[in-house]
Amino acid sequence: MYTKEFEIHTGNRAVVHDLTKQATAYLAECDVDNGLLHGWVPHATAGLAVLETGAGSDHDLLAAIDDLLPRDNRWRHQHGTGGHGRDHVLPAFLPPYATVPVLDGALALGTWQSLCLVDTNVDNPVRRVRLSVLAG
């Protein structure tokens, strides 16, 4: 198994950050033909998702999160920016992990799929992402 960890600077706003290029570059370093790429975000307020980006779906996802988990003061977990408690609920809906098959040395994503970090926590501008490859 191969593992690499890197930082993503998400800034001070909710973001969907496409990790596909980093994952593809890392996969090339591992020189694995077939197996699994597993992503992990060691944070209590971020998640990973496989979705289409660049055509508005990333913005739609953030809007859906805002609708489902409003950034207001209903949350018992209260510290940091107002409504931050909802960020701690996010990983129950978007888990901090995702696994993608590797076939013939490439991520076996669908035509419009990307591996993405979803971070709604405006109080933490730097995230760590850990990628591991299990060769098959």
Side-chain angles (χ1 to χ4, degrees):
M1 182 163 65
Y2 308 92
T3 299
K4 181 176 188 173
E5 187 170 286
F6 52 96
E7 285 187 348
I8 301 293
H9 295 265
T10 56
N12 60 356
R13 60 184 175 83
V15 297
V16 175
H17 181 88
D18 192 338
L19 299 169
T20 309
K21 288 182 184 177
Q22 285 116 321
T24 299
Y26 169 62
L27 192 56
E29 291 175 20
C30 296
D31 193 31
V32 170
D33 289 329
N34 297 296
L36 297 171
L37 175 94
H38 183 76
W40 172 256
V41 181
H43 298 284
T45 58
L48 293 177
V50 176
L51 73 150
E52 178 181 3
T53 60
S57 296
D58 38 354
H59 297 291
D60 291 341
L61 175 60
L62 293 175
I65 291 169
D66 285 341
D67 289 344
L68 183 64
L69 304 170
R71 185 176 288 284
D72 58 22
N73 290 319
R74 73 182 68 200
W75 309 102
R76 291 183 182 165
H77 185 111
Q78 293 188 8
H79 69 84
T81 302
H84 173 66
R86 72 91 178 245
D87 299 325
H88 287 273
V89 176
L90 177 74
F93 295 90
L94 286 171
Y97 56 85
T99 302
V100 178
V102 175
L103 300 174
D104 297 324
L107 294 173
L109 291 167
T111 302
W112 304 111
Q113 289 180 320
S114 296
L115 176 62
C116 299
L117 167 68
V118 180
D119 183 11
T120 61
N121 183 352
V122 300
D123 295 331
N124 189 349
V126 179
R127 297 305 187 149
R128 291 188 339 257
V129 175
R130 189 173 302 132
L131 297 178
S132 300
V133 176
L134 179 63

